[in-house]
Amino acid sequence: FPKYFDGKLLIYDWMRNWMFLVSMDKNGAIMDIEPFMPNTKFNNIMDLAYGPDGKLYMLEYGTQWFKQNFDARLIRIDYNGGNRAPIAALTVNKANGAVPLTVEFDSRGTSDPDSDELTIELFVDGEKYAAKDGKFTVTFDKPGVFTPELRVTDRNGAVSVGRVEIIAGNESPAVAISVLEGNKTFYFPNTPVQYAVAVTDREDGSTEKGTIRPDSVNVTFNFVKGYDMTQIASQGHQKAEAELPGKALIDNSDCKSCHMINQKSAGPAYLQVADKYRDQKDAVSKLADKVIRGGAGVWGTTEMAAHPQISKEDAQKMIEYILSLGKKKTPSLPLKGSVMPGNEQEGAYVITASYGDKGTAKTPRIADVASVALRSPVLKAEQAVSIPGALLAVKHNTTASFERIDLTAVKSVYASVIMGASHMSGEIELRLDKPDGELIGTVKPNSSVRIRETNGVHTLYLMFKNGRAGDKDLFSFTELRLSNR
């Protein structure tokens, strides 16, 4: 390690797996704390020591308590102050399909941190391909699973490798979900949604022709509280079903150091917790308080550490996810039918369909998952396209817009605002596709109004008006609630 590290303290945390480099003055007072290897994942750091060779050695316990952990290890961290290895990136236009399967490989994204000239080669099933532009076309004539390897070498001989998996002889199925009528962006409480699911597969056939059985397709309908709006915007083919938000909070916490889903570790398995508290109405609030305060005695003598940094709201979301693990799986819905959204808010109803094909003697099964998310019919100020901060202090002629909004079946709107100290008011014009576009309604603050019914997807413009206000603030806009009544 370079002299920069001399006299500095390297600290680490077992539970959170971070390391920091601490700079101190001659009296030991802290001058600076900076991250050390923040993008590297460790598994419960037990100890660190500099060896006589000047390199850093680390012991990692592994992810499970009192187990023979396969990810427990002794590692050496070297400082590389010279030539750095290149970074290999490999993408394909198609990862599976029937034979003959022609695949285009692209090394775009491959780079060298030292800006060295690179030699780029592709190896497929023992054969080497070279291309100056880093693009390769390979045809697979026989079925099987292949792992092409992109080998990148810099001028000093440092090598980096990128790999992809190609399945030749089995093409991925295609799952499609259609909302047959009505609004395709939002759900409305107690208003049924008509849907249809279709599956096609080159080898297995299709649901339309009856060669794919309906009971081999899994269709579910779930409400996801706090569903990520960016995920809703990119709805379509997914690799996993929507998760409760508590799962992400748990994944980013230290919970995994003491708990596993289906095995006892230092603490009980999540499934044990879900089973124990299944019928207790106050379980979410009670267990959330325990997460924050800590405690012991319910599952033995091992004490659970307090987590005062976690808010009560986040702790409740974490507990909701844990308790959901013990619920019985909902039977699959039919390929075509109707589902009924409830009165929930601040989330989305998600229709998900999945199908795994049969594979072949030489290729594994391939699955496809599709989803359609119908979000809560509320347009919040933070989702609008506007001048930053403008909706916190709306003035006469302030403009905001919401893009790709399906207005089908929307009959009325309610505008929520927070009135300011100026006691000014005004009204909000609703226009289609441009600031001076067709006027479909005018709503006053904290009130509702019927609008002209409009079909299809539009950009909805909000024009805030009060010609007598001058430069005074009218109010703070918070949300526009859409209704089909």
Side-chain angles (χ1 to χ4, degrees), residues 173-176 234-239 368-371:
V175 179
S234 61
Q235 60 181 289
H237 290 269
Q238 309 286 334
K239 289 303 179 186
D368 187 37
V369 181
S371 65

PDB file of all heavy atoms in Angstrom, residues 173-176 234-239 368-371:
ATOM      1  N   PRO A 173     -40.296 -18.703 -24.569  1.00  0.00           N
ATOM      2  CA  PRO A 173     -41.713 -18.443 -24.800  1.00  0.00           C
ATOM      3  C   PRO A 173     -41.993 -16.951 -24.695  1.00  0.00           C
ATOM      4  O   PRO A 173     -41.177 -16.181 -24.193  1.00  0.00           O
ATOM      5  CB  PRO A 173     -42.400 -19.224 -23.665  1.00  0.00           C
ATOM      6  CG  PRO A 173     -41.373 -19.309 -22.592  1.00  0.00           C
ATOM      7  CD  PRO A 173     -40.045 -19.385 -23.288  1.00  0.00           C
ATOM      8  N   ALA A 174     -43.156 -16.553 -25.193  1.00  0.00           N
ATOM      9  CA  ALA A 174     -43.574 -15.152 -25.121  1.00  0.00           C
ATOM     10  C   ALA A 174     -44.926 -15.085 -24.419  1.00  0.00           C
ATOM     11  O   ALA A 174     -45.904 -15.679 -24.883  1.00  0.00           O
ATOM     12  CB  ALA A 174     -43.675 -14.544 -26.520  1.00  0.00           C
ATOM     13  N   VAL A 175     -44.951 -14.392 -23.282  1.00  0.00           N
ATOM     14  CA  VAL A 175     -46.183 -14.222 -22.508  1.00  0.00           C
ATOM     15  C   VAL A 175     -46.687 -12.799 -22.718  1.00  0.00           C
ATOM     16  O   VAL A 175     -45.916 -11.839 -22.615  1.00  0.00           O
ATOM     17  CB  VAL A 175     -45.927 -14.477 -21.012  1.00  0.00           C
ATOM     18  CG1 VAL A 175     -47.211 -14.282 -20.217  1.00  0.00           C
ATOM     19  CG2 VAL A 175     -45.377 -15.887 -20.795  1.00  0.00           C
ATOM     20  N   ALA A 176     -47.971 -12.650 -23.013  1.00  0.00           N
ATOM     21  CA  ALA A 176     -48.560 -11.331 -23.237  1.00  0.00           C
ATOM     22  C   ALA A 176     -49.824 -11.186 -22.407  1.00  0.00           C
ATOM     23  O   ALA A 176     -50.619 -12.129 -22.292  1.00  0.00           O
ATOM     24  CB  ALA A 176     -48.877 -11.136 -24.718  1.00  0.00           C
ATOM     25  N   SER A 234     -42.125   1.080 -16.629  1.00  0.00           N
ATOM     26  CA  SER A 234     -41.444   0.118 -17.499  1.00  0.00           C
ATOM     27  C   SER A 234     -42.096  -1.259 -17.428  1.00  0.00           C
ATOM     28  O   SER A 234     -41.437  -2.275 -17.574  1.00  0.00           O
ATOM     29  CB  SER A 234     -39.974   0.004 -17.080  1.00  0.00           C
ATOM     30  OG  SER A 234     -39.870  -0.453 -15.741  1.00  0.00           O
ATOM     31  N   GLN A 235     -43.418  -1.269 -17.170  1.00  0.00           N
ATOM     32  CA  GLN A 235     -44.117  -2.542 -17.061  1.00  0.00           C
ATOM     33  C   GLN A 235     -43.990  -3.329 -18.358  1.00  0.00           C
ATOM     34  O   GLN A 235     -43.796  -2.780 -19.425  1.00  0.00           O
ATOM     35  CB  GLN A 235     -45.588  -2.292 -16.735  1.00  0.00           C
ATOM     36  CG  GLN A 235     -46.310  -1.476 -17.797  1.00  0.00           C
ATOM     37  CD  GLN A 235     -47.753  -1.240 -17.415  1.00  0.00           C
ATOM     38  OE1 GLN A 235     -48.551  -2.164 -17.445  1.00  0.00           O
ATOM     39  NE2 GLN A 235     -48.093  -0.031 -17.060  1.00  0.00           N
ATOM     40  N   GLY A 236     -44.125  -4.605 -18.265  1.00  0.00           N
ATOM     41  CA  GLY A 236     -43.996  -5.466 -19.438  1.00  0.00           C
ATOM     42  C   GLY A 236     -43.384  -6.779 -19.017  1.00  0.00           C
ATOM     43  O   GLY A 236     -43.825  -7.397 -18.076  1.00  0.00           O
ATOM     44  N   HIS A 237     -42.334  -7.190 -19.697  1.00  0.00           N
ATOM     45  CA  HIS A 237     -41.701  -8.459 -19.377  1.00  0.00           C
ATOM     46  C   HIS A 237     -40.728  -8.265 -18.218  1.00  0.00           C
ATOM     47  O   HIS A 237     -39.819  -7.456 -18.290  1.00  0.00           O
ATOM     48  CB  HIS A 237     -40.988  -9.016 -20.604  1.00  0.00           C
ATOM     49  CG  HIS A 237     -41.957  -9.474 -21.651  1.00  0.00           C
ATOM     50  ND1 HIS A 237     -42.431 -10.759 -21.713  1.00  0.00           N
ATOM     51  CD2 HIS A 237     -42.589  -8.792 -22.644  1.00  0.00           C
ATOM     52  CE1 HIS A 237     -43.298 -10.862 -22.728  1.00  0.00           C
ATOM     53  NE2 HIS A 237     -43.399  -9.683 -23.297  1.00  0.00           N
ATOM     54  N   GLN A 238     -40.947  -9.015 -17.176  1.00  0.00           N
ATOM     55  CA  GLN A 238     -40.143  -8.908 -15.971  1.00  0.00           C
ATOM     56  C   GLN A 238     -39.463 -10.245 -15.715  1.00  0.00           C
ATOM     57  O   GLN A 238     -39.870 -11.278 -16.205  1.00  0.00           O
ATOM     58  CB  GLN A 238     -41.028  -8.550 -14.763  1.00  0.00           C
ATOM     59  CG  GLN A 238     -41.942  -7.351 -14.995  1.00  0.00           C
ATOM     60  CD  GLN A 238     -41.184  -6.050 -14.981  1.00  0.00           C
ATOM     61  OE1 GLN A 238     -40.138  -5.942 -14.357  1.00  0.00           O
ATOM     62  NE2 GLN A 238     -41.717  -5.055 -15.664  1.00  0.00           N
ATOM     63  N   LYS A 239     -38.432 -10.208 -14.889  1.00  0.00           N
ATOM     64  CA  LYS A 239     -37.765 -11.438 -14.493  1.00  0.00           C
ATOM     65  C   LYS A 239     -38.202 -11.894 -13.107  1.00  0.00           C
ATOM     66  O   LYS A 239     -37.857 -12.964 -12.664  1.00  0.00           O
ATOM     67  CB  LYS A 239     -36.246 -11.230 -14.487  1.00  0.00           C
ATOM     68  CG  LYS A 239     -35.671 -11.104 -15.897  1.00  0.00           C
ATOM     69  CD  LYS A 239     -35.998 -12.314 -16.742  1.00  0.00           C
ATOM     70  CE  LYS A 239     -35.452 -12.184 -18.146  1.00  0.00           C
ATOM     71  NZ  LYS A 239     -35.871 -13.287 -19.011  1.00  0.00           N
ATOM     72  N   ASP A 368     -40.756 -17.162 -19.226  1.00  0.00           N
ATOM     73  CA  ASP A 368     -41.004 -15.750 -19.489  1.00  0.00           C
ATOM     74  C   ASP A 368     -42.068 -15.272 -18.515  1.00  0.00           C
ATOM     75  O   ASP A 368     -43.010 -16.010 -18.180  1.00  0.00           O
ATOM     76  CB  ASP A 368     -41.476 -15.532 -20.934  1.00  0.00           C
ATOM     77  CG  ASP A 368     -41.578 -14.059 -21.282  1.00  0.00           C
ATOM     78  OD1 ASP A 368     -40.719 -13.285 -20.812  1.00  0.00           O
ATOM     79  OD2 ASP A 368     -42.497 -13.673 -22.024  1.00  0.00           O
ATOM     80  N   VAL A 369     -41.898 -14.049 -18.038  1.00  0.00           N
ATOM     81  CA  VAL A 369     -42.841 -13.445 -17.100  1.00  0.00           C
ATOM     82  C   VAL A 369     -43.248 -12.086 -17.641  1.00  0.00           C
ATOM     83  O   VAL A 369     -42.395 -11.286 -18.028  1.00  0.00           O
ATOM     84  CB  VAL A 369     -42.211 -13.273 -15.695  1.00  0.00           C
ATOM     85  CG1 VAL A 369     -43.225 -12.677 -14.732  1.00  0.00           C
ATOM     86  CG2 VAL A 369     -41.704 -14.601 -15.171  1.00  0.00           C
ATOM     87  N   ALA A 370     -44.551 -11.833 -17.688  1.00  0.00           N
ATOM     88  CA  ALA A 370     -45.050 -10.527 -18.110  1.00  0.00           C
ATOM     89  C   ALA A 370     -45.942  -9.963 -17.019  1.00  0.00           C
ATOM     90  O   ALA A 370     -46.547 -10.708 -16.239  1.00  0.00           O
ATOM     91  CB  ALA A 370     -45.827 -10.647 -19.419  1.00  0.00           C
ATOM     92  N   SER A 371     -46.011  -8.654 -16.941  1.00  0.00           N
ATOM     93  CA  SER A 371     -46.869  -8.030 -15.941  1.00  0.00           C
ATOM     94  C   SER A 371     -47.473  -6.744 -16.485  1.00  0.00           C
ATOM     95  O   SER A 371     -46.881  -6.065 -17.327  1.00  0.00           O
ATOM     96  CB  SER A 371     -46.087  -7.735 -14.661  1.00  0.00           C
ATOM     97  OG  SER A 371     -45.082  -6.769 -14.899  1.00  0.00           O
TER      98      SER A 371
END
